[in-house]
Amino acid sequence: MAKKQFKAESKRLLELMINSIYSQREVFLRELISNASDAIDKIYYKALTDDSLSFDPSNYFIKVTADKENRTLTVMDTGIGMTQEELENNLGTIAESGSLAFKNANEIKDGYDIIGQFGVGFYAAFMVADVVTVESKAFGSEEAYKWESEGTEGYTITPIDKDQIGTTITLKIKENTDDENYDEFLEEHRLKEIIKKYSDFIRYPIKMDVTESKLKEDSEDEYEEYVEEQTINSMVPIWKKNKSELTDEDYENFYQEKRYGFDKPLKHIHLNVDGTIRYNAILYIPETRPFDYYSQEYEKGLELYSNGVLIMEKCADLVPDHFSFVKGMVDSEDLSLNISREMLQHDRQLKLIAKNINKKVKNQLLSLQKDDREKYEKFYDAFGRQLKFGVYNNFGQHKETLQDLLMFYSSTEKKLVTLAEYVSRMKEDQKYIYYAPGESIERIEKLPQTEMVADKGYEILFFTEEVDEFAIKMLMNYQDKEFKSVSSGDLDIESDEDEESTEQAQQDNQELFTAMKDILADKVKDVRASKRLKSHPVCLSAEGEISLEMEKVINAMPDNQQIKADKVLEINVNHEVFDTLQQAMEADKTKLELYTKLLFNQALLIEGLPIQDPVDFTNDICKVMVS
């Protein structure tokens, strides 16, 4: 029996296959089962096109058998089988796909899926086996043949006796090494795990002899083991069932079975798309965020299937970063895969799917926001920050998609409100959407800067997360209404009378304000009479693009970017403290310096900004106490 050699290019490809094409060795079983499913599909297709043939589903299955003693793993199918010529062509020439040739020769139309495309998956077996033996009898043939190979050195084909049509592949599993544990591919529980992971939705039964235990007869505590044949895969995927057949409980069970999360999903989306690219999808919006969601360890992505076979556990390209919380799966028969079926050859199809998923998720969230506010707020508490990051990231590329999903605490409603709800309540004379950033609702409510805006009866949005103001700066406006911080230099809401009064006070006390500015030096850009303060003596405002809150956030980052907002110290000229400042200006410049420093540090504390020299500040307080 002469050994035949692989063609030179096939030999090189086989070496590549064994060593580098597949990222995980366990996928060899996925490939062999997919090929077995193809073989049965071919019989099924022939029955559809040949009235003399009938297809009884109960006669067609795949069986996986492990023999620990002899270190063999067998995958048997009752499919169409291979002739001697097909064994030569399909297995002797790597990358010659029998499935693809069958599909082309028979002009298989949409709806009859043949999984194999490249003719290389079979050779993944050599990642775990020293010897691969294929015994096959083709449909319509009286003869059977055995193909056998130990790898790159070649193969043999010999006649054999075989009664049943179909193919049996036997792998002689490698011995363990220091780096690799090949025994796992002979363990019953591990094989079941791999089948469930990759091939759970293959349409034909995948059977195994499974060891179970039961109480011995006439015994209350002694068990005995027995072996029974079981079907490991569920066969019919939930996503290919009609939505009308499924209940919320079915979707929740699938969520739990796939371990998408330990919570109960807030909402599910079931898509059956038949357009430019055909696909099915089941998507979930979780109730709670994973513990590592806002960490570098978190991996976004949906499970990606091709014809029911798992290709990628986390396909990141299917969901944008701003919807990275979405869990679920996508199955398509139109994907262009590379030879390992682990990666896509190009991403045009993925982009089409991802674009539609993005739209569907947004619409589902808007629907939840409108119809079940309690659930939406629960979702927003978990993932609202991610939506804000989405507005800010990529220079606001996705702000139009996300702006209607945003919510902020309202000073008047005392709850979370949307931007649309805020704008709908704006007063006729109101030009801006006002907001106030701070560490908490309680602290923001006490900010001196909110007094004038609140007195006008204007609603204020409270920004309590670091990303809030950055996102709004990127958003710029909403429904043609600009955003304005209560701490900005010009609120543009003062009456003409207040404006004139403040300007007069500024002119009358310019010498005092200049002296205070000189005392504070580069700590402030200016000291001036305040238009906004009512009952508080002092506050800080900011000019330019960097706000006071943004200064805090950026300076707290680990890269140590020390930036400064252009601060303006505003003095309430109607407060009794101002009288003290005027008196000190006239009579005691030392006290004026003391009071100025104290007022500036008080303003910093109100804003939650650090005091440069706490010891100096406490000494100044002591000086006031003993004066």
Side-chain angles (χ1 to χ4, degrees), residues 400-449:
E400 299 295 329
T401 299
L402 300 172
Q403 60 184 0
D404 289 320
L405 299 173
L406 300 181
M407 298 180 76
F408 301 97
Y409 184 85
S410 163
S411 62
T412 58
E413 301 300 305
K414 305 300 181 184
K415 63 181 182 181
L416 290 173
V417 301
T418 67
L419 296 177
E421 290 165 347
Y422 180 102
V423 170
S424 71
R425 290 191 291 268
M426 286 177 65
K427 296 182 179 297
E428 287 186 16
D429 62 339
Q430 186 177 344
K431 299 178 184 178
Y432 302 101
I433 299 172
Y434 289 101
Y435 67 87
E439 292 178 14
S440 66
I441 291 170
E442 292 74 19
R443 290 196 65 165
I444 294 173
E445 286 177 329
K446 296 176 182 178
L447 284 177
Q449 293 92 325

Side-chain angles (χ1 to χ4, degrees), residues 261-276:
F262 297 104
D263 58 342
K264 182 179 178 180
L266 283 176
K267 210 73 176 172
H268 66 263
I269 307 169
H270 190 163
L271 304 177
N272 294 307
V273 179
D274 189 6
T276 306

Side-chain angles (χ1 to χ4, degrees), residues 552-566:
K552 283 194 289 185
V553 172
I554 294 174
N555 289 344
M557 292 180 179
D559 51 6
N560 200 30
Q561 292 186 49
Q562 294 303 306
I563 67 161
K564 288 185 178 181
D566 289 332

